[in-house]
């Protein structure tokens, strides 16, 4: 593993698949300001590399990808420093959400608070069979903010309210039923489940996936009519890459 900084390790294979590992963040991979900055810097460093097909976001510990934000640090904050702290976490989530290639969240163990916000910013979430999810902020006197705003889009307003206002945790099967995660792995099979998704993504056109991710991100914020009209131009421009012609012809050739 190559270390981009003390909190961000990178493994890259010949397929263009990068595993970005959150390092030196304790047993539960808790994100302090230093960890948040390190991981964000890792995503920003990789973003210009068009050879990257997929990123797997993982924690160094098997107890979580990100267990949550650093409570010890938050306990020392005032209004100004609290806004700076949460802005750093927002910027990390945005670096993930806006990363050009698909990002898979590898989710063992606990995924709480800020960890769930980062996971929500990923494109695909693959959970271990015994993973647990929750938004406990209100129990320690703060609201769930920033990319918790993605949760109603993922699981609906009612379930998002329940998670954020009760601070109760849910298990992996409930998270799957709600649409919070996309896959729940068999016991001991988390990496196999992640690899299954990786292979599915690698079978797609890399330029098409980048275009699709960007379009989905815009759809999150645009009214329906604008989304429809935007899509026409995006569809046309996709033919400038040469990828549709090559892959469509390949499909036709295989059918002969």
């Amino acid at each position: 593993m190559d270390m981009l900084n003390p909190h961000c390790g990178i493994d890259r294979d010949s397929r263009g698949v990068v595993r970005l590992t959150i390092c030196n963040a304790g047993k539960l991979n808790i994100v302090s300001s230093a960890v948040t900055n390190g991981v964000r810097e890792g995503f920003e460093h990789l973003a210009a590399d068009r050879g990257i097909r997929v990123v797997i976001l993982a924690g160094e510990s098997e107890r979580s990808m990100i267990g949550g934000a650093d409570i010890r640090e938050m306990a020392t904050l005032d209004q100004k420093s609290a806004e700076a702290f949460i802005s750093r976490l927002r910027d990390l989530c945005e670096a993930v959400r806006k990363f050009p290639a698909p990002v898979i969240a590898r989710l063992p163990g606990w995924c709480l608070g800020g960890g769930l916000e980062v996971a929500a910013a990923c494109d695909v979430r693959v959970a271990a069979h015994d993973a647990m999810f929750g938004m406990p902020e209100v129990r320690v006197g703060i609201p769930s903010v920033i990319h918790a705003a993605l949760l109603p889009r993922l699981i609906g307003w009612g379930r998002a309210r329940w998670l954020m206002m009760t601070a109760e945790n849910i298990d992996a099967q409930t998270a799957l039923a709600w649409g919070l995660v996309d896959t729940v792995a068999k016991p001991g099979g988390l990496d196999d489940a992640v690899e299954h998704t990786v292979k599915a993504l690698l079978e797609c056109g890399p330029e098409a996936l980048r275009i699709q991710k960007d379009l989905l991100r815009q759809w999150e914020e645009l009214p329906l009519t604008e989304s429809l009209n935007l899509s026409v131009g995006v569809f046309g421009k996709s033919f400038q890459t040469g990828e549709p012609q090559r892959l469509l012809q390949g499909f036709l050739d295989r059918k002969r």
Side-chain angles (χ1 to χ4, degrees):
M1 183 166 61
D2 296 325
M3 298 299 296
L4 294 183
N5 59 60
H7 299 296
C8 183
I10 300 295
D11 291 287
R12 180 170 180 167
D13 69 19
S14 60
R15 303 173 298 173
V17 178
V18 170
R19 179 164 170 147
L20 190 156
T21 302
I22 301 166
C23 300
N24 300 312
K27 293 180 180 179
L28 282 174
N29 290 313
I30 298 299
V31 286
S32 63
S33 290
V35 175
T36 300
N37 287 340
V39 179
R40 175 186 51 76
E41 288 168 6
F43 273 101
E44 291 175 350
H45 174 80
L46 296 172
D49 188 340
R50 297 194 67 82
I52 294 175
R53 300 283 306 275
V54 181
V55 172
I56 302 164
L57 179 58
E60 191 173 32
S61 167
E62 284 300 303
R63 294 179 63 182
S64 74
M65 181 186 82
I66 297 174
D70 190 341
I71 293 177
R72 294 180 187 275
E73 183 177 353
M74 286 193 290
T76 69
L77 302 177
D78 57 20
Q79 180 177 351
K80 184 176 180 180
S81 58
E83 290 175 359
F85 178 91
I86 204 64
S87 293
R88 286 187 283 271
L89 185 55
R90 176 203 62 198
D91 293 346
L92 167 58
C93 291
E94 281 297 279
V96 173
R97 196 170 74 92
K98 293 182 178 179
F99 192 82
V103 180
I104 301 171
R106 180 187 181 276
L107 299 169
W110 293 95
C111 184
L112 303 174
L116 187 49
E117 289 160 10
V118 175
C122 294
D123 301 292
V124 181
R125 286 159 291 281
V126 180
H129 75 286
D130 56 352
M132 296 292 293
F133 302 87
M135 298 296 290
E137 285 88 344
V138 291
R139 287 191 179 169
V140 292
I142 54 178
S144 297
V145 293
I146 57 167
H147 288 68
L150 294 172
L151 295 180
R153 293 165 168 82
L154 289 171
I155 62 176
W157 280 102
R159 287 166 173 165
R161 282 192 189 96
W162 188 90
L163 270 182
M164 287 185 269
M165 296 183 74
T166 69
E168 292 286 312
N169 297 327
I170 59 172
D171 61 18
Q173 289 300 328
T174 302
L176 180 64
W178 285 11
L180 187 59
V181 301
D182 302 293
T183 304
V184 173
K186 297 177 182 178
L190 180 56
D191 285 320
D192 289 341
V194 170
E195 178 61 18
H196 178 82
T197 299
V198 167
K199 288 179 177 177
L201 292 168
L202 292 178
E203 289 177 358
C204 303
E207 293 303 319
L209 275 180
R210 286 170 172 259
I211 292 168
Q212 188 68 76
K213 176 168 180 173
D214 183 63
L215 192 58
L216 283 162
R217 190 170 65 243
Q218 293 183 73
W219 284 348
E220 287 177 347
E221 300 178 5
L222 291 175
L224 178 58
T225 299
E226 289 184 47
S227 297
L228 298 175
N229 293 334
L230 171 70
S231 301
V232 173
V234 171
F235 183 80
K237 288 180 182 178
S238 71
F239 282 79
Q240 295 178 354
T241 69
E243 195 171 83
Q245 295 90 331
R246 177 173 57 84
L247 295 179
L248 287 167
Q249 188 60 52
F251 177 82
L252 292 173
D253 291 344
R254 289 193 299 272
K255 289 296 183 179
R256 289 175 181 169

